mmCIF file of all heavy atoms in Angstrom:
data_model
loop_
_atom_site.group_PDB
_atom_site.id
_atom_site.type_symbol
_atom_site.label_atom_id
_atom_site.label_comp_id
_atom_site.label_asym_id
_atom_site.label_seq_id
_atom_site.Cartn_x
_atom_site.Cartn_y
_atom_site.Cartn_z
ATOM 1 N N GLU A 17 -16.678 5.403 23.413
ATOM 2 C CA GLU A 17 -15.813 4.240 23.201
ATOM 3 C C GLU A 17 -16.594 3.058 22.649
ATOM 4 O O GLU A 17 -16.023 2.174 22.012
ATOM 5 C CB GLU A 17 -15.093 3.883 24.496
ATOM 6 C CG GLU A 17 -14.113 4.973 24.874
ATOM 7 C CD GLU A 17 -12.998 4.520 25.778
ATOM 8 O OE1 GLU A 17 -12.760 3.304 25.886
ATOM 9 O OE2 GLU A 17 -12.354 5.399 26.351
ATOM 10 N N ALA A 18 -17.904 3.057 22.871
ATOM 11 C CA ALA A 18 -18.755 1.976 22.347
ATOM 12 C C ALA A 18 -18.819 1.977 20.823
ATOM 13 O O ALA A 18 -19.300 1.013 20.223
ATOM 14 C CB ALA A 18 -20.158 2.085 22.932
ATOM 15 N N PRO A 30 -11.689 -1.111 2.258
ATOM 16 C CA PRO A 30 -10.667 -0.506 1.402
ATOM 17 C C PRO A 30 -11.198 0.600 0.493
ATOM 18 O O PRO A 30 -10.467 1.528 0.174
ATOM 19 C CB PRO A 30 -10.128 -1.665 0.571
ATOM 20 C CG PRO A 30 -10.755 -2.901 1.068
ATOM 21 C CD PRO A 30 -11.817 -2.546 2.052
ATOM 22 N N GLU A 46 -5.074 0.074 16.650
ATOM 23 C CA GLU A 46 -4.845 1.347 15.944
ATOM 24 C C GLU A 46 -6.034 2.287 16.120
ATOM 25 O O GLU A 46 -5.848 3.491 16.297
ATOM 26 C CB GLU A 46 -4.591 1.099 14.458
ATOM 27 C CG GLU A 46 -3.233 0.514 14.156
ATOM 28 C CD GLU A 46 -3.072 0.165 12.695
ATOM 29 O OE1 GLU A 46 -3.903 -0.604 12.160
ATOM 30 O OE2 GLU A 46 -2.111 0.674 12.079
ATOM 31 N N PRO A 51 -7.498 7.054 15.954
ATOM 32 C CA PRO A 51 -8.732 7.785 15.667
ATOM 33 C C PRO A 51 -9.648 8.014 16.871
ATOM 34 O O PRO A 51 -10.177 9.107 17.037
ATOM 35 C CB PRO A 51 -9.437 6.915 14.625
ATOM 36 C CG PRO A 51 -8.349 6.122 13.998
ATOM 37 C CD PRO A 51 -7.331 5.904 15.082
ATOM 38 N N ARG A 54 -8.903 11.044 19.056
ATOM 39 C CA ARG A 54 -9.147 12.255 18.261
ATOM 40 C C ARG A 54 -10.648 12.521 18.137
ATOM 41 O O ARG A 54 -11.106 13.655 18.252
ATOM 42 C CB ARG A 54 -8.496 12.104 16.878
ATOM 43 C CG ARG A 54 -8.604 13.350 16.023
ATOM 44 C CD ARG A 54 -7.923 13.180 14.672
ATOM 45 N NE ARG A 54 -8.663 12.284 13.809
ATOM 46 C CZ ARG A 54 -8.207 11.126 13.332
ATOM 47 N NH1 ARG A 54 -6.989 10.729 13.609
ATOM 48 N NH2 ARG A 54 -8.953 10.381 12.562
ATOM 49 N N LEU A 62 -14.393 25.887 20.073
ATOM 50 C CA LEU A 62 -15.793 25.721 19.660
ATOM 51 C C LEU A 62 -16.700 25.453 20.850
ATOM 52 O O LEU A 62 -17.912 25.552 20.739
ATOM 53 C CB LEU A 62 -15.934 24.550 18.676
ATOM 54 C CG LEU A 62 -15.424 24.734 17.267
ATOM 55 C CD1 LEU A 62 -15.678 23.485 16.435
ATOM 56 C CD2 LEU A 62 -16.068 25.936 16.595
ATOM 57 N N GLY A 66 -15.059 18.053 17.900
ATOM 58 C CA GLY A 66 -14.790 18.394 16.510
ATOM 59 C C GLY A 66 -15.157 17.281 15.550
ATOM 60 O O GLY A 66 -15.088 17.458 14.341
ATOM 61 N N TYR A 67 -15.555 16.124 16.091
ATOM 62 C CA TYR A 67 -15.922 14.971 15.262
ATOM 63 C C TYR A 67 -17.242 14.413 15.781
ATOM 64 O O TYR A 67 -17.450 14.317 16.993
ATOM 65 C CB TYR A 67 -14.849 13.875 15.328
ATOM 66 C CG TYR A 67 -13.550 14.269 14.686
ATOM 67 C CD1 TYR A 67 -12.579 14.952 15.404
ATOM 68 C CD2 TYR A 67 -13.292 13.964 13.357
ATOM 69 C CE1 TYR A 67 -11.376 15.319 14.827
ATOM 70 C CE2 TYR A 67 -12.088 14.323 12.762
ATOM 71 C CZ TYR A 67 -11.141 14.999 13.503
ATOM 72 O OH TYR A 67 -9.949 15.358 12.914
ATOM 73 N N PRO A 92 -12.480 29.481 17.178
ATOM 74 C CA PRO A 92 -13.488 28.985 16.245
ATOM 75 C C PRO A 92 -13.397 29.635 14.870
ATOM 76 O O PRO A 92 -14.198 29.334 13.991
ATOM 77 C CB PRO A 92 -14.798 29.378 16.929
ATOM 78 C CG PRO A 92 -14.471 30.684 17.582
ATOM 79 C CD PRO A 92 -13.028 30.512 18.065
ATOM 80 N N VAL A 128 -17.891 30.615 13.785
ATOM 81 C CA VAL A 128 -16.963 30.290 12.699
ATOM 82 C C VAL A 128 -16.965 31.407 11.647
ATOM 83 O O VAL A 128 -18.018 31.956 11.316
ATOM 84 C CB VAL A 128 -17.346 28.933 12.060
ATOM 85 C CG1 VAL A 128 -16.515 28.648 10.814
ATOM 86 C CG2 VAL A 128 -17.203 27.811 13.083
ATOM 87 N N ALA A 133 -11.897 22.703 3.484
ATOM 88 C CA ALA A 133 -11.976 21.256 3.280
ATOM 89 C C ALA A 133 -10.892 20.880 2.288
ATOM 90 O O ALA A 133 -10.609 21.628 1.344
ATOM 91 C CB ALA A 133 -13.346 20.850 2.754
ATOM 92 N N GLU A 147 -18.393 21.319 -3.310
ATOM 93 C CA GLU A 147 -19.005 22.298 -4.201
ATOM 94 C C GLU A 147 -20.505 22.429 -3.947
ATOM 95 O O GLU A 147 -21.044 23.538 -3.947
ATOM 96 C CB GLU A 147 -18.733 21.914 -5.659
ATOM 97 C CG GLU A 147 -17.262 22.044 -6.026
ATOM 98 C CD GLU A 147 -16.879 21.330 -7.312
ATOM 99 O OE1 GLU A 147 -17.739 20.664 -7.929
ATOM 100 O OE2 GLU A 147 -15.697 21.424 -7.692
ATOM 101 N N GLU A 166 -2.150 5.461 -4.544
ATOM 102 C CA GLU A 166 -2.557 5.716 -5.916
ATOM 103 C C GLU A 166 -3.300 7.046 -6.016
ATOM 104 O O GLU A 166 -4.237 7.302 -5.274
ATOM 105 C CB GLU A 166 -3.466 4.590 -6.408
ATOM 106 C CG GLU A 166 -3.855 4.732 -7.867
ATOM 107 C CD GLU A 166 -4.752 3.606 -8.342
ATOM 108 O OE1 GLU A 166 -4.816 2.549 -7.678
ATOM 109 O OE2 GLU A 166 -5.398 3.806 -9.374
ATOM 110 N N HIS A 170 -0.950 13.361 -8.001
ATOM 111 C CA HIS A 170 -1.691 14.520 -8.517
ATOM 112 C C HIS A 170 -1.894 15.599 -7.457
ATOM 113 O O HIS A 170 -2.455 16.650 -7.747
ATOM 114 C CB HIS A 170 -3.044 14.074 -9.065
ATOM 115 C CG HIS A 170 -2.920 13.100 -10.191
ATOM 116 N ND1 HIS A 170 -2.495 13.461 -11.444
ATOM 117 C CD2 HIS A 170 -3.135 11.763 -10.236
ATOM 118 C CE1 HIS A 170 -2.461 12.385 -12.227
ATOM 119 N NE2 HIS A 170 -2.842 11.343 -11.514
ATOM 120 N N THR A 188 -27.564 29.876 1.094
ATOM 121 C CA THR A 188 -28.914 29.682 0.579
ATOM 122 C C THR A 188 -28.890 28.792 -0.644
ATOM 123 O O THR A 188 -29.688 27.866 -0.766
ATOM 124 C CB THR A 188 -29.520 31.062 0.195
ATOM 125 O OG1 THR A 188 -29.470 31.887 1.350
ATOM 126 C CG2 THR A 188 -30.931 30.921 -0.271
ATOM 127 N N GLU A 189 -27.944 29.046 -1.550
ATOM 128 C CA GLU A 189 -27.837 28.229 -2.752
ATOM 129 C C GLU A 189 -27.481 26.784 -2.416
ATOM 130 O O GLU A 189 -27.861 25.869 -3.118
ATOM 131 C CB GLU A 189 -26.766 28.802 -3.693
ATOM 132 C CG GLU A 189 -27.157 30.128 -4.287
ATOM 133 C CD GLU A 189 -26.010 30.790 -5.012
ATOM 134 O OE1 GLU A 189 -25.019 30.102 -5.295
ATOM 135 O OE2 GLU A 189 -26.100 31.991 -5.263
ATOM 136 N N SER A 192 -29.028 25.716 2.586
ATOM 137 C CA SER A 192 -29.039 25.996 4.018
ATOM 138 C C SER A 192 -30.243 26.797 4.415
ATOM 139 O O SER A 192 -30.863 27.458 3.654
ATOM 140 C CB SER A 192 -27.779 26.772 4.393
ATOM 141 O OG SER A 192 -26.657 25.943 4.155
#
Side-chain angles (χ1 to χ4, degrees):
E17 293 203 17
E46 286 175 304
R54 184 179 71 242
L62 287 181
Y67 292 87
V128 173
E147 292 164 357
E166 184 180 342
H170 299 288
T188 303
E189 292 170 15
S192 296

